[in-house]
């Protein structure tokens, strides 16, 4: 069984793309990966308890807000991001990257709906190729969004996904499960991954030193966050 923890970028009118990313971990590796994240929490917060005060959000780390408001030293915050990137780079962690180019969509099309559909397709392909099953777990931000995603997955399992080359979803079990992100280290890891996806697209070519410092983390020898499955839609000319 593979568990797929996914998160999505927030809508931003100043940025043309929507990202949804999945952190995929086989059940036999869950305790090991969780222990790595919990060790960082103990070092950073003095506790590994799953509470809001020990929650990791990449944007908050980078921009020095909420749990990292008192962290004036950028190098120290950057080191937290480094350690989280190192966990994303573990061989036990697989990644799925979905990018929807919102500026190329029709007015009637929803980037969130299309992104989730492609996530289901790519996860299904991933677990089917490994002769396994998958379950989706997301961040419960509101009941309406959770119900919408659960309903969509149910429809895809019953009749296949949309568009001309829709796929049968045969290897995802049950519904989409949701919990609050502070209760899951894996959802926090997914948050970091999605933030990195958007960060790279937004800041490629930036001369800002702090932006460059994050790119240097990603360009270290041995770091490879290339996804196991990927979808960009619509493709840019």
């Amino acid at each position: 069984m593979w568990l797929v923890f996914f998160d999505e970028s927030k809508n931003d009118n100043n940025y043309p793309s929507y990202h949804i990313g999945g952190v995929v971990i086989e059940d036999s590796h869950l305790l090991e990966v969780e222990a790595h994240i919990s060790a960082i929490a103990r070092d950073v917060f003095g506790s590994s308890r799953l509470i809001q005060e020990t929650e990791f959000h990449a944007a908050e780390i980078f921009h020095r807000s909420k749990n990292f408001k008192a962290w004036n030293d950028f190098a120290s915050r950057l080191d937290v991001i480094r350690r989280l990137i190192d966990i994303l780079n573990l061989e036990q962690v697989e990644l799925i990257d979905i990018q929807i180019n919102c500026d190329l969509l029709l007015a009637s099309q929803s980037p969130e709906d299309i992104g989730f559909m492609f996530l289901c397709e790519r996860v299904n392909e991933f677990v089917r190729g490994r002769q396994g099953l998958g379950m989706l777990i997301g961040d419960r931000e509101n009941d309406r969004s959770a119900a919408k995603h659960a309903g969509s997955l149910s429809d895809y399992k019953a009749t296949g996904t949309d568009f001309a080359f829709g796929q049968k979803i045969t290897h995802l079990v049950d519904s989409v499960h949701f919990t609050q992100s502070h209760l899951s280290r894996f959802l926090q890891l997914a948050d970091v991954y999605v933030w990195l996806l958007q960060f790279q697209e937004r800041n490629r070519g930036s001369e800002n030193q702090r932006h460059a410092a994050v790119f240097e983390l990603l360009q270290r020898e041995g770091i490879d966050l290339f996804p196991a499955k990927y979808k960009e839609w619509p493709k840019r000319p």
Side-chain angles (χ1 to χ4, degrees), residues 65 88 94 97 154 157 173 184 211:
S65 64
L88 287 169
E94 301 282 1
D97 171 14
S154 177
K157 291 170 68 174
V173 299
S184 170
H211 294 168

Side-chain angles (χ1 to χ4, degrees), residues 5-235:
F5 302 88
F6 69 94
D7 198 12
E8 55 193 344
S9 61
K10 302 296 185 293
N11 287 329
D12 184 346
N13 293 332
N14 297 316
Y15 177 65
S17 297
Y18 164 84
H19 298 268
I20 183 167
V23 170
V24 188
I25 305 171
E26 195 171 12
D27 58 354
S28 59
H29 297 307
L30 288 168
L31 285 175
E32 178 184 359
V33 176
E34 185 180 40
H36 285 299
I37 312 171
S38 295
I40 302 176
R42 284 192 294 273
D43 291 345
V44 170
F45 303 114
S47 172
S48 61
R49 292 180 62 208
L50 293 171
I51 55 178
Q52 290 179 339
E53 290 76 14
T54 68
E55 186 173 7
F56 294 109
H57 281 292
E60 295 171 7
I61 301 170
F62 184 82
H63 293 292
R64 193 173 67 86
S65 64
K66 294 190 178 180
N67 290 343
F68 291 85
K69 184 67 175 178
W71 286 53
N72 295 318
D73 181 39
F74 177 70
S76 297
R77 302 200 311 276
L78 187 69
D79 192 60
V80 177
I81 295 175
R82 175 194 64 80
R83 295 179 68 181
L84 292 166
I85 289 174
D86 288 348
I87 294 175
L88 287 169
N89 192 58
L90 291 172
E91 63 179 359
Q92 299 92 332
V93 176
E94 301 282 1
L95 303 170
I96 294 179
D97 171 14
I98 308 296
Q99 176 177 322
I100 305 300
N101 294 318
C102 307
D103 54 325
L104 300 180
L105 296 180
L106 299 175
S108 60
Q109 292 178 313
S110 163
E112 294 87 357
D113 293 347
I114 296 172
F116 181 72
M117 181 191 72
F118 284 133
L119 176 72
C120 292
E121 289 185 351
R122 292 300 180 264
V123 171
N124 189 71
E125 292 172 2
F126 175 90
V127 296
R128 184 182 62 204
R130 288 158 178 77
Q131 298 181 327
L133 298 172
M135 180 179 289
L136 297 175
I137 302 171
D139 180 5
R140 178 180 285 278
E141 295 189 348
N142 60 73
D143 290 343
R144 181 179 179 182
S145 176
K148 187 175 184 179
H149 283 332
S152 294
L153 177 58
S154 177
D155 290 343
Y156 300 151
K157 291 170 68 174
T159 61
T161 55
D162 302 330
F163 298 171
F165 298 99
Q167 299 181 18
K168 293 182 178 179
I169 302 301
T170 56
H171 285 65
L172 299 186
V173 299
D174 205 36
S175 183
V176 189
H177 293 264
F178 289 92
T179 188
Q180 294 176 317
S181 61
H182 71 272
L183 297 176
S184 170
R185 293 296 179 202
F186 301 109
L187 286 177
Q188 294 166 41
L189 194 62
D191 168 272
V192 174
Y193 179 52
V194 171
W195 182 82
L196 288 168
L197 292 174
Q198 188 180 65
F199 181 93
Q200 291 175 86
E201 289 295 318
R202 295 187 74 146
N203 300 301
R204 203 176 306 278
S206 170
E207 296 181 359
N208 182 288
Q209 291 184 348
R210 293 190 174 188
H211 294 168
V214 175
F215 278 104
E216 287 175 5
L217 293 180
L218 295 168
Q219 293 163 1
R220 287 174 294 151
E221 184 176 357
I223 298 296
D224 181 8
L225 301 189
F226 193 80
K229 292 290 181 179
Y230 171 79
K231 180 70 176 184
E232 179 184 358
W233 193 88
K235 282 282 192 180

